[in-house]
Every structure is written in structure tokens, then in C-alpha cells.
């Protein structure tokens, strides 16, 4: 749903200009230095990029899902590290509070997430619980003593995006050890700097330099009982799944954006690079790769928009979000591979940037649920709705 076409067009135009004029020229530097300079972060704050999906009542832009994915199509057209910095505040790092938080939790944290003063992070994955998120082992034990009502957290979270920069963490932990699966899990807000919370060393990754992940370790980390999201135990896994339904659509849109960029670069190269006396774009085998990329990209874009509109209608889009994430990220991987191929030897050389994209977009098929997890969600949805 687009609430106002004119405002939406202005927003997309300003983000497109920001991406092309400010971010694209800095891509190589960010990959080299593994850091996004504060001056660019400040420009992102001024554009409202940290609060795209946070309701207007809390200082965000309150974009609908369709508006958000259209913005993500633009943001995706540069190094994914830039999107990653604002991504958690708009997605997994804030939506637990937006969707299931109490009015007090929303009022306390969302304005600072929307402004970019605070970075939010989502701590679900553990060393022993990745795809099987319901098996997580981090514990949250309720205590009541002279210091008040609290939970004491113990455990380790792994590969946590933006953890080195985060001001708050949405943490899924087991409040009921007797329930082994999803029903024993609750979601909490934990502030950085809480005694007992520490960070591991920053992970060395295949790509996405400038975006940082690390372990988040809880050792007798005591947090106020009021930081239980929604004030209800046992529903934290469902909160996480609802957050991921939305997050998966966002990642699908980012994958569409990245594929657009890679296809544009591959096309420009193919039209300029001459072999056998002709631009290589005139050769039909190269045209086949360009055409396949365009057709698949178009399909993914339509799928993402359709799923986003359905979500805006208030429908359950768990299956559609997984379809979109699965198809769009796999498509993006194929486009990346063809883009390298079209560049030939130059595709393997850092100066041309395409090999960096090839590595960067590999993550899309892994995080917020691997392609295989999306297949499971889709197939289970089919079985639930089967007419037999
Ligand atoms: N929205 C709301 N509730 C949901 C839901 C959703 N999208 N998906 C599942 N639930 C609920 C189920 O209805 C069930 O509730 P009841 O017990 O009341 O029936 C509960 O959550 C448990 O669901 P389920 O039995 O399907 O859980 P599983 O342990 O089988 O796990 C998968 C389901 C595999 C889909 C889940 O673990 C998953 O998404 N794993 C990947 C995690 C991931 O994406 N990690 C990335 C890290 S975050 S960057």
C-alpha cells in the first residue's frame, strides 16, 4: 500500500540520489577500511533511514511494507554494509518492540531507535541453535529479591549483526527449562553496558566489510523484569518468528536492489567491452545471461511487491515472505554469478567491484533463515492448507 504517491516518489528519489552520489563512490573505501565513517552515518540519520519502519508516533517514517520494500530496492543498489547498519533498527532490532512491546517499552526505546541514536540488535542464534532456533539454550531465570524483580541471563549468542555498535539487544532466552521447544522461550530487551553482558571479537567474514557481527555473551546478566517484551513469558519464539516474517520480505527487497545494480554494471561493461570486433553485449551467449537475469529479477520484484501488499492488507504472509526471500536471494546469487562471468577476467579483479558484490550477496541466502529454512516454511504452509 502506498499512502501518498507524491511523498513516496520524493522519498525514493532522495534515497536514490543519496545512494548514487554519496554511497556508491565510497564503496571501495568502506571495503578497504572495514568501517562506515561517522559523517555518512550522520547523513543516514538526517535522511530518516534508521526509522523507516518505526511508527510515526515514535519519530519514525512509519512506512507501509510496500513503501519499505520500494525503499529497499534503492538501498540495495550499493554495498550491503550500508543497508546493514540501518537494517537492524528497521527490522529485527526494533520490530520485536514494535509488534509485541508494551506501550512503556515502545515509548522508552523506539524514538531513540528511529533517530539512529541507538542501534538495535537481534540476538536469536547461538552456537548450538541456528536453523533450529527453538532449541536455544540461553537461560533467563526469574528472581525477586531486595533489589526488585529481575531476570538473570546466561548463555552465548552468535553472529549477531551490529552487536559491536548496539545500544540495545532483543534477546530470546529460555524462561522455562521444563519446556524444551518454542513454548519455553521469552523475548527481552537488554541494554548494552549491563553488567554481565560482554562481546566477543569481531568476526572475520567472507564479505560485507563495514558491517560487523560478533558473539554476545551473558554471564549472570541481571535485567529488570520490566524488560520482558510484552510482559508475557513463553511467547518470545513467536515474537521472533513475526519479526522474521517482516525481515525476510525486507531482505528479499534488498536482494532485488543488489541484483539491479549488478545487472546494470554487467550491462554497461558488456556494451563497452569489445572482443572479436564487437561489444560483447552483441554476442547471443552474453545476451542469454543478461536476459535470464532481467527475467528473474522482474519475477522477484513482482513477488516482493505482491507479498508486501498482502501484508499491508493484514494477511498472514509467512509463506509469501519465505517464497520471496527464497526466490529473490537465490536469484540474486545467480545474477551475481552471471555478472562476474560477463565481466570475464575483470570479474575476478577487485578494482571492478563485481567480485565484492559476489561475496557480499552470498549472505542473503543464509541469514534471516537459510534457503532451506524458507523451503520448510513454504512446504509446511502448503501442508497446513492442503485440501484432502
Ligand atoms: N508467526 C507467528 N507464530 C509462528 C510463526 C510465525 N511466522 N512461525 C511459527 N510460529 C509459532 C507456531 O505456530 C508454533 O506455535 P504453537 O506452539 O502455539 O503451535 C510455534 O511458533 C513453534 O513453531 P514451529 O513448531 O513451526 O517451530 P519449529 O521449532 O519447528 O521451527 C522454523 C520453525 C524452522 C521455521 C524456525 O525455527 C525458523 O525460522 N528457523 C530459522 C531461524 C532463523 O531464521 N534464524 C536466522 C537468525 S536471525 S538473523
Amino acid at each position: 500500500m502506498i499512502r501518498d504517491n507524491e511523498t513516496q516518489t520524493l522519498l525514493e528519489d532522495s534515497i536514490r540520489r543519496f545512494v548514487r552520489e554519496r554511497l556508491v563512490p565510497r564503496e571501495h573505501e568502506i571495503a578497504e577500511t572495514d568501517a562506515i565513517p561517522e559523517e555518512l552515518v550522520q547523513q543516514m540519520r538526517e535522511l530518516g533511514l534508521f526509522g523507516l519502519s518505526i511508527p510515526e508516533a515514535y519519530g519514525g517514517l512509519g512506512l507501509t511494507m510496500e513503501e519499505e520494500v520500494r525503499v529497499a530496492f534503492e538501498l540495495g543498489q550499493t554495498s550491503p554494509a550500508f543497508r546493514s547498519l540501518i537494517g537492524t533498527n528497521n527490522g529485527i532490532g526494533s520490530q520485536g518492540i514494535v509488534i509485541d512491546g508494551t506501550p512503556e517499552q515502545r515509548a522508552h526505546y523506539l524514538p531513540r531507535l528511529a533517530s539512529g541514536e541507538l542501534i538495535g540488535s537481534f540476538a536469536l542464534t547461538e552456537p548450538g541453535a541456528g536453523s533450529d532456533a527453538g532449541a536455544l539454550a540461553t537461560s533467563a531465570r526469574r528472581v525477586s529479591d531486595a533489589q526488585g524483580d529481575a531476570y538473570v541471563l546466561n548463555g552465548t549468542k552468535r553472529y549477531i549483526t551490529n552487536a559491536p555498535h548496539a545500544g540495545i539487544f532483543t534477546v530470546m532466552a529460555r524462561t522455562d527449562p521444563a519446556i524444551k521447544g518454542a513454548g519455553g522461550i521469552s523475548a527481552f530487551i537488554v541494554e548494552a553496558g549491563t553488567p554481565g553482558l560482554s562481546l566477543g571479537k569481531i568476526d572475520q567474514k567472507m564479505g560485507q566489510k563495514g558491517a560487523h557481527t560478533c558473539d554476545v555473551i551473558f554471564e549472570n546478566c541481571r535485567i529488570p523484569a520490566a524488560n520482558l517484551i510484552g510482559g508475557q513469558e513463553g511467547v518470545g519464539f513467536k515474537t521472533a518468528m513475526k519479526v522474521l516474517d517482516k525481515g525476510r520480505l525486507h531482505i528479499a527487497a534488498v536482494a532485488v536492489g543488489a541484483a539491479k545494480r549488478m545487472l546494470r554494471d554487467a550491462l554497461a561493461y558488456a556494451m563497452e567491452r569489445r572482443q572479436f570486433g564487437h561489444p560483447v553485449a552483441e554476442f547471443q551467449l552474453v545476451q542469454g545471461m543478461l536476459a535470464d537475469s532481467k527475467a528473474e529479477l522482474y519475477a522477484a520484484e513482482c513477488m516482493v511487491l505482491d507479498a508486501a501488499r498482502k501484508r499491508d492488507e493484514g494477511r498472514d504472509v509467512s509463506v509469501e515472505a519465505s517464497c520471496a526471500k527464497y526466490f529473490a536471494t537465490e536469484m540474486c546469487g545467480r545474477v551475481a554469478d552471471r555478472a562476474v562471468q560477463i565481466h570475464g577476467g575483470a570479474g575476478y579483479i577487485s578494482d571492478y567491484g563485481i567480485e565484492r558484490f559476489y561475496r557480499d550477496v552470498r549472505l542473503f541466502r543464509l541469514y534471516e533463515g537459510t534457503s532451506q529454512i524458507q523451503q520448510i516454511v513454504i512446504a509446511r504452509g502448503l501442508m497446513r492448507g492442503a485440501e484432502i
Side-chain angles (χ1 to χ4, degrees):
M1 179 181 65
I2 306 284
R3 291 164 303 167
D4 178 59
N5 273 314
E6 201 180 325
T7 314
Q8 179 67 18
T9 306
L10 282 173
L11 177 66
E12 285 175 37
D13 285 350
S14 65
I15 291 175
R16 188 176 306 124
R17 267 201 313 278
F18 178 64
V19 164
R20 295 191 186 199
E21 291 168 15
R22 306 283 161 136
L23 301 185
V24 170
R26 310 286 293 270
E27 287 171 352
H28 190 69
E29 169 200 335
I30 271 70
E32 289 286 299
T33 58
D34 193 19
I36 301 176
E38 178 54 31
E39 127 237 357
L40 284 181
V41 180
Q42 187 52 32
Q43 288 171 20
M44 292 180 188
R45 290 194 190 104
E46 284 159 15
L47 269 172
L49 295 184
F50 285 93
L52 295 171
S53 66
I54 294 177
E56 285 167 296
Y58 301 105
L61 297 184
L63 299 188
T64 65
M65 198 69 225
E66 183 178 355
E67 292 166 350
E68 182 183 329
V69 296
R70 285 179 183 277
V71 165
F73 291 160
E74 299 299 330
L75 283 171
Q77 295 186 37
T78 182
S79 290
F82 294 118
R83 200 282 326 171
S84 185
L85 184 65
I86 59 137
T88 47
N89 277 34
N90 288 300
I92 55 180
S94 72
Q95 291 303 309
I97 303 174
V98 172
I99 297 172
D100 282 338
T102 62
E104 294 75 25
Q105 289 166 346
R106 290 186 188 136
H108 190 62
Y109 292 108
L110 293 180
R112 283 181 292 154
L113 286 168
S115 67
E117 180 191 332
L118 270 187
I119 299 284
S121 209
F122 181 78
L124 176 67
T125 302
E126 299 183 355
S131 290
D132 186 6
L136 64 82
T138 294
S139 65
R141 185 171 45 86
R142 176 136 191 160
V143 292
S144 282
D145 55 25
Q147 292 160 281
D149 293 335
Y151 286 91
V152 177
L153 271 58
N154 279 286
T156 297
K157 297 293 179 176
R158 181 138 295 172
Y159 312 139
I160 305 304
T161 301
N162 284 340
H165 313 288
I168 59 165
F169 299 85
T170 298
V171 180
M172 270 51 67
R174 193 169 297 284
T175 38
D176 189 343
I179 305 177
K180 292 286 170 237
I185 296 171
S186 305
F188 298 92
I189 303 162
V190 183
E191 297 190 7
T194 306
L197 186 162
S198 61
L199 302 177
K201 67 172 175 47
I202 292 181
D203 299 318
Q204 293 298 316
K205 308 190 300 317
M206 176 193 278
Q208 299 214 7
K209 293 282 190 305
H212 303 131
T213 65
C214 70
D215 280 5
V216 180
I217 304 143
F218 301 96
E219 288 164 306
N220 292 324
C221 176
R222 183 183 171 116
I223 58 166
N227 286 18
L228 172 66
I229 291 184
Q232 205 189 339
E233 286 189 8
V235 292
F237 185 81
K238 289 185 186 172
T239 298
M241 290 299 120
K242 286 185 267 184
V243 166
L244 286 171
D245 281 347
K246 181 169 187 295
R248 287 167 182 170
L249 260 177
H250 181 93
I251 297 298
V254 173
V256 166
K260 285 184 181 205
R261 164 69 186 279
M262 290 185 289
L263 179 55
R264 192 164 63 235
D265 286 1
L267 177 64
Y269 186 83
M271 290 173 71
E272 181 232 286
R273 169 79 175 160
R274 296 178 74 86
Q275 287 295 282
F276 304 103
H278 296 274
V280 297
E282 286 179 12
F283 297 116
Q284 290 182 349
L285 292 176
V286 172
Q287 289 180 345
M289 289 191 276
L290 292 167
D292 286 355
S293 298
K294 175 63 187 174
E296 291 184 35
L297 183 42
Y298 180 46
E301 187 170 0
C302 292
M303 191 187 273
V304 171
L305 284 169
D306 180 68
R309 289 183 192 125
K310 288 197 168 96
R311 189 176 190 279
D312 286 336
E313 287 166 9
R315 291 157 69 170
D316 174 358
V317 293
S318 188
V319 167
E320 285 79 1
S322 282
C323 288
K325 204 251 177 196
Y326 177 41
F327 185 78
T329 61
E330 292 286 335
M331 172 281 296
C332 188
R334 291 191 292 273
V335 170
D337 191 65
R338 293 186 198 115
V340 170
Q341 197 67 19
I342 290 168
H343 276 77
Y348 205 68
I349 303 296
S350 301
D351 292 352
Y352 292 85
I354 203 73
E355 65 82 32
R356 189 183 64 240
F357 264 99
Y358 178 86
R359 288 182 287 110
D360 286 351
V361 302
R362 188 63 183 82
L363 183 59
F364 295 159
R365 292 156 62 196
L366 301 170
Y367 67 177
E368 300 206 19
T370 60
S371 291
Q372 290 66 38
I373 287 296
Q374 310 312 327
Q375 289 175 298
I376 288 172
V377 173
I378 297 164
R380 284 186 184 178
L382 278 176
M383 289 190 284
R384 266 198 312 277
E387 291 169 24
I388 38 173

